[in-house]
């Protein structure tokens, strides 16, 4: 039987990873595939927390560029992550995976509020915990949420599933044909080189708390499991130097 390298992980799914080719909203076949891949981890005995983004529905920056108040626009983004989280919960429960959604902004009729100890208890009972509504604060991102929650629940790694790239490159591979893919990289290198894998707040938080990150493509089915088994896929980011 395959043995997982990690006991507890945070899986970061960007909103776009749920949108599929259409680039907006939620594509049922894509979210079902993601749910199936998450189930594979649960079946391996891994404790899985998921942080879901909202960029497939709304980004605060877009609203602010349109002249909206930035904080308000960001709250809309956080609400978008709640929609995605409920959709993922539904897909997981359809294939008999037990889940709990916890939101950083209270909405008790919809989901539990975020309570760290309760989240850990759910994980110990092998329930998938989906963290919704980001950090609950404007001016932050769901990447930062993943870093923060990973530190709080003492996850061993953040698995960053991307829909448009299969790792960290020296330049944008869709523009620069000479872009080189890194096998490993330190957070400091990533910050110094300005590589836009995650925002700098999230990178610093991961660096300061020694949380490794695996960046890989979700478009290839089975990749989340490969990452958890410690196979060399994508790019591993860790450490200061
Ligand atoms: N957001 C926020 N605070 C947070 C997390 C998210 O204000 O702690 C807002 C922000 O406006 C962001 C939107 O929610 O643009 C969607 O999140 P994100 O862009 O991180 O989603 P992703 O790119 O992963 O789909």
């Amino acid at each position: 039987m395959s043995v997982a390298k990690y006991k507890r992980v945070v899986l970061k799914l960007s909103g776009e990873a749920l949108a599929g080719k259409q680039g907006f909203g939620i594509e049922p076949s894509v979210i079902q595939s993601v749910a199936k891949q998450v189930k594979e981890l649960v079946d391996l005995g891994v404790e899985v927390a998921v942080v879901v983004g909202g960029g497939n529905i709304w980004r605060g920056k877009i609203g602010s560029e349109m002249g909206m108040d930035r904080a308000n626009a960001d709250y809309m983004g956080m609400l978008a992550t709640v929609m995605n989280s409920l959709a993922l919960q539904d897909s997981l429960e359809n294939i008999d995976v037990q889940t709990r959604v916890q939101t950083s902004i209270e909405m008790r009729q919809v989901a539990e509020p975020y309570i760290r100890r309760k989240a850990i208890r759910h994980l110990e009972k092998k329930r998938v915990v989906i963290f919704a509504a980001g950090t609950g604060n404007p001016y932050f991102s769901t990447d930062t949420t993943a870093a923060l929650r990973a530190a709080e629940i003492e996850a061993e790694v953040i698995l960053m599933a991307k829909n448009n790239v299969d790792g960290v490159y020296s330049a944008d591979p869709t523009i620069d044909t000479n872009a080189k893919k890194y096998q490993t990289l330190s957070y400091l290198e990533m910050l110094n080189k300005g590589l836009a894998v995650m925002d700098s707040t999230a990178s610093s938080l991961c660096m300061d708390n020694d949380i490794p990150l695996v960046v890989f493509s979700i478009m290839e089915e089975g990749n989340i499991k490969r990452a958890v088994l410690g196979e060399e896929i994508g790019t591993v980011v860790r450490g200061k130097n």
Side-chain angles (χ1 to χ4, degrees):
M1 206 190 109
S2 318
V3 179
K5 184 175 176 190
Y6 309 105
K7 191 171 165 287
R8 182 175 293 166
V9 303
V10 166
L11 173 67
K12 166 67 212 301
L13 291 171
S14 69
E16 276 162 9
L18 306 179
K21 287 198 175 68
Q22 63 197 4
F24 182 82
I26 299 165
E27 168 73 45
S29 63
V30 174
I31 200 162
Q32 280 155 17
S33 152
V34 171
K36 231 173 80 193
Q37 295 194 58
V38 171
K39 187 181 189 328
E40 288 180 341
L41 307 194
V42 178
D43 291 344
L44 280 174
V46 178
E47 296 175 8
V48 188
V50 188
V51 172
V52 191
N56 55 326
I57 299 170
W58 182 261
R59 276 184 205 285
K61 210 163 159 270
I62 294 173
S64 128
E65 279 160 12
M66 281 164 24
M68 273 185 80
D69 173 71
R70 173 69 194 261
N72 249 347
D74 277 342
Y75 280 119
M76 286 173 66
M78 287 182 256
L79 294 179
T81 72
V82 178
M83 289 204 231
N84 285 333
S85 300
L86 293 179
L88 181 63
Q89 174 174 49
D90 192 75
S91 294
L92 282 166
E93 294 201 332
N94 274 338
I95 51 172
D96 299 322
V97 179
Q98 283 209 39
T99 65
R100 292 292 185 274
V101 175
Q102 290 202 341
T103 58
S104 303
I105 296 170
E106 271 201 36
M107 43 182 99
R108 286 173 181 270
Q109 288 81 353
V110 175
E112 287 179 9
Y114 171 63
I115 299 168
R116 179 182 156 268
R117 280 171 179 276
K118 217 165 166 191
I120 291 171
R121 191 79 195 107
H122 289 319
L123 291 169
E124 286 167 351
K125 289 186 173 172
K126 306 297 175 204
R127 295 174 183 142
V128 171
V129 179
I130 305 170
F131 292 126
T135 60
N137 301 292
Y139 296 96
F140 285 93
S141 67
T142 51
D143 286 352
T144 302
T145 311
L148 178 63
R149 295 290 181 251
E152 286 181 279
I153 64 166
E154 295 179 18
E156 289 151 285
V157 69
I158 297 174
L159 306 175
M160 183 170 268
K162 294 271 189 188
N163 64 320
N164 46 5
V165 279
D166 62 353
V168 184
Y169 284 79
S170 55
D172 185 343
T174 57
I175 299 169
D176 185 347
T177 48
N178 293 320
K180 172 179 144 269
K181 184 172 145 189
Y182 294 100
Q183 218 82 59
T184 57
L185 191 72
S186 75
Y187 281 110
L188 210 53
E189 274 178 278
M190 196 164 88
L191 283 162
N192 286 340
K193 291 188 166 111
L195 304 173
V197 187
M198 59 184 350
D199 56 86
S200 55
T201 312
S203 300
S204 308
L205 204 53
C206 287
M207 180 171 75
D208 293 347
N209 292 287
D210 235 343
I211 306 164
L213 173 78
V214 185
V215 184
F216 60 95
S217 164
I218 200 176
M219 299 316 271
E220 211 177 304
E221 225 172 271
N223 257 0
I224 307 180
K225 184 175 174 183
R226 282 184 203 108
V228 151
L229 291 176
E231 288 181 26
E232 282 185 15
I233 57 161
T235 303
V236 178
V237 188
R238 61 166 7 122
K240 280 197 174 148
N241 318 294

